[in-house]
Amino acid sequence: MKFTKDHEWVSLDGDIATVGISKHAADALGDVVFVEVPEVGKTVSKGDSFAVVESVKAASDVYAPVSGEVIEANDALSTAPETVNSGAETDGWFARIKVSDAAQLDDLMDQAAYDAFLATL
Amino acid sequence: MTDQTLKTTPLNAAHRALGARMVGFGGYDMPVQYEGVLAEHRWTREHAGLFDVSHMGQCKITGADAVAQFERFVPGDYEILKAGKQKYSLLLNADGGIIDDLMAGRPDHDGLFVVVNAGNKDEDFAFWNANLEGDARLTVLDRALIAIQGPEAAEVMKAHEPVLAEMGFMDCARLMLFGADCYVSRSGYTGEDGYEISVPADQAERIWNTILEDARVKPIGLGARDSLRLEAGLPLHGHDIDPTTSPVEGALTFALSKSRKERADFAGADRILKELSDGPARVRVGLIVKEGAPAREGAEIADADGNVIGKVTSGGPSPTLGKNIAMGFVPPAFAALGTALKVIVRGKTAAAEVVAMPFVAQRYYRKPKTV
């Protein structure tokens, strides 16, 4: 699992990347009450806002950690957005993206680097 | 670490000791949540929530001319307000726009005790200093303000001081409480029964911790305070009402006293009386958003055909109702209950409907009438 400085995570299986927000981000947001996942078939570019997560207080953009085509969205979040709080880095995934180039993940942080990054915040 | 640019309330250390998540709010370092907004919201609706609202402004306006001078800028009738009562009102500019909304009462026989919003207090105090005439004098009070809100608030406070249970909604008093000189009113801004207690700053932490010893009480952050007041249909100054909004537009005509309307002797009376007779250009309404994301401040409101007719001024999920609710302004032709409207959130249009406020029934304690 790799992480961005914007607190998204990405887990690569072949050329399919599953993406979500980190446990740290979910904890910081507090109670998640709404998630807007991307539409299947949409092409996203790394760094684009591709989903929105809302807590009671505010809406926050989620940025695509990789470029590619959205091939699956976690529609279960529409009826159970709290899954993002209970399983941010497991069942609370947002979308699966067919990545155009796996080398995109090279500049993302691994768990140890992300933990070190969090310690600086 | 405390942000050096933010002011702190006398309860700052207490919040940190409780593990609160702190944010900058109205220039103050304030707790946004302790255990979580939803849990705190529900706790307040079911038990009793304790809030630090010390960032709000507290003052007294005293002198023989105090009430008459205060009335020049508010549309409420304070001359006839009895000792021991308080009233919600609006500080108006010459155009009838709302500079601030406030609570003013007579807890003792020494003029008016006034509580104003944190973000406006410097402006309000400067306004009164510049405009009060005769011997009316403003004294800014450097005190803490603690609110306890919820259906168990009265029972909790009764255990500390039985006389508090005798108070009705909007009663106020100056009394010794927890061994300190306090101003208490039975009021708040959550729609629940409860009290606001002004305490000396150096006693605040002791009193806060004493109230929290009761298992029915939990500390509540500003996050839940906002969702509670939204459910109660109460406007937030700077968001739902501002210096361009009149009391008629803001659906706050209850704050216009009959006698004052007849005398037309308050700031902005021309505009306000004209709007009362001819109707305002826009009016604050409550909306249920029937699908999709919450419509928050700034989201556009459209009619059934998709023509943009107004904007949301505050909105979010209602933990009590399990629906997304919002307040916003629309032309009066679209303000009737049941009117089908739309809201536009991030480019997506969702169905909405005009509904009555409060969204969640208020539970203020009104004393039974005695003969």
Side-chain angles (χ1 to χ4, degrees):
Chain A
M1 190 176 280
K2 296 280 194 85
F3 297 87
T4 69
K5 286 189 173 178
D6 294 317
H7 309 289
E8 291 90 13
W9 59 263
V10 50
S11 168
L12 196 64
D13 181 8
D15 61 352
I16 306 300
T18 302
V19 301
I21 63 168
S22 71
K23 182 175 185 308
H24 168 84
D27 289 349
L29 281 169
D31 304 299
V32 172
V33 295
F34 183 85
V35 179
E36 191 173 291
V37 293
E39 285 171 28
V40 172
K42 187 179 178 182
T43 303
V44 298
S45 296
K46 187 173 178 175
D48 282 356
S49 168
F50 86 124
V52 176
V53 57
E54 302 217 14
S55 64
V56 181
K57 280 299 289 170
S60 308
D61 286 320
V62 180
Y63 302 100
V66 290
S67 300
E69 182 190 343
V70 176
I71 58 162
E72 190 180 353
N74 188 357
D75 293 322
L77 297 182
S78 65
T79 50
E82 64 276 12
T83 308
V84 176
N85 292 114
S86 60
E89 295 173 9
T90 54
D91 295 346
W93 60 280
F94 280 34
R96 295 205 162 97
I97 298 174
K98 186 167 196 241
V99 298
S100 45
D101 175 8
Q104 296 176 68
L105 274 72
D106 292 351
D107 56 351
L108 301 183
M109 293 176 277
D110 61 15
Q111 185 79 57
Y114 182 61
D115 289 345
F117 169 68
L118 290 180
T120 67
L121 299 182
Chain B
M1 221 165 58
T2 306
D3 186 328
Q4 295 298 311
T5 61
L6 293 173
K7 289 178 275 191
T8 57
T9 76
L11 293 165
N12 193 271
H15 301 315
R16 289 173 182 280
L18 288 163
R21 184 179 301 161
M22 307 297 285
V23 294
F25 182 88
Y28 282 80
D29 184 47
M30 297 298 287
V32 66
Q33 66 173 62
Y34 299 85
E35 61 173 311
V37 175
L38 286 177
E40 291 166 34
H41 182 111
R42 291 184 179 127
W43 186 269
T44 305
R45 287 269 180 258
E46 291 165 12
H47 305 282
L50 196 64
F51 302 75
D52 176 15
V53 286
S54 304
H55 56 310
M56 298 181 75
Q58 303 178 59
C59 66
K60 291 207 81 168
I61 297 176
T62 55
D65 301 323
V67 174
Q69 286 296 311
F70 180 71
E71 278 196 347
R72 286 172 56 208
F73 309 104
V74 301
D77 195 343
Y78 283 87
E79 290 284 7
I80 60 166
L81 190 71
K82 292 176 185 156
K85 299 295 288 184
Q86 77 168 13
K87 197 181 230 181
Y88 174 82
S89 200
L90 306 162
L91 181 59
L92 299 173
N93 61 30
D95 299 323
I98 302 169
I99 299 171
D100 202 0
D101 63 341
L102 54 83
M103 285 285 194
R106 294 183 192 260
D108 53 22
H109 292 278
D110 183 26
L112 295 166
F113 173 75
V114 186
V115 178
V116 301
N117 281 298
N120 301 328
K121 65 183 178 185
D122 293 340
E123 192 184 339
D124 295 351
F125 296 155
F127 179 90
W128 280 315
N129 272 326
N131 290 289
L132 293 176
E133 294 173 359
D135 76 344
R137 195 171 67 248
L138 173 82
T139 306
V140 176
L141 303 176
D142 186 20
R143 297 169 67 90
L145 191 64
I146 295 170
I148 180 167
Q149 301 278 291
E152 293 178 347
E155 281 297 315
V156 169
M157 294 309 294
K158 188 180 172 183
H160 295 291
E161 173 49 72
V163 76
L164 295 179
E166 308 292 316
M167 297 172 76
F169 181 56
M170 289 292 188
D171 283 352
C172 64
R174 182 175 188 175
L175 49 92
M176 289 299 284
L177 187 60
F178 302 105
D181 175 16
C182 296
Y183 295 98
V184 184
S185 67
R186 195 155 188 175
S187 66
Y189 221 59
T190 63
E192 294 293 331
D193 180 24
Y195 305 86
E196 286 196 354
I197 310 165
S198 168
V199 306
D202 62 354
Q203 304 289 312
E205 190 166 349
R206 177 179 64 80
I207 294 171
W208 170 269
N209 287 330
T210 302
I211 298 173
L212 274 181
E213 283 171 12
D214 192 308
R216 293 169 290 189
V217 185
K218 283 190 177 183
I220 309 296
L222 291 173
R225 182 171 169 82
D226 193 52
S227 52
L228 289 159
R229 72 94 201 155
L230 177 65
E231 284 186 343
L234 301 167
L236 185 62
H237 195 273
H239 301 265
D240 305 299
I241 50 175
D242 64 34
T244 70
T245 321
S246 78
V248 185
E249 292 175 331
L252 298 169
T253 52
F254 71 91
L256 307 170
S257 295
K258 185 161 176 277
S259 61
R260 302 297 310 280
K261 284 187 284 188
E262 287 166 2
R263 298 207 298 271
D265 61 348
F266 52 88
D270 288 353
R271 171 189 176 185
I272 290 166
L273 295 174
K274 186 168 188 303
E275 287 183 357
L276 281 174
S277 61
D278 301 350
R282 54 179 183 156
V283 67
R284 182 170 64 95
V285 295
L287 298 171
I288 293 272
V289 180
K290 296 182 161 180
E291 55 195 1
R296 300 184 189 272
E297 182 173 4
E300 289 179 321
I301 303 171
D303 64 15
D305 298 326
N307 304 305
V308 173
I309 55 166
K311 267 192 178 171
V312 168
T313 50
S314 60
S318 161
T320 305
L321 301 178
K323 295 175 181 172
N324 291 324
I325 58 175
M327 296 180 191
F329 283 82
V330 297
F334 299 94
L337 300 186
T339 303
L341 296 175
K342 296 176 188 299
V343 290
I344 304 169
V345 179
R346 294 186 291 273
K348 288 186 185 165
T349 301
E353 181 183 333
V354 178
V355 297
M357 292 190 285
F359 300 98
V360 172
Q362 291 161 344
R363 293 196 281 190
Y364 306 134
Y365 175 71
R366 297 180 199 275
K367 282 198 289 194
K369 293 249 189 275
T370 49
V371 181

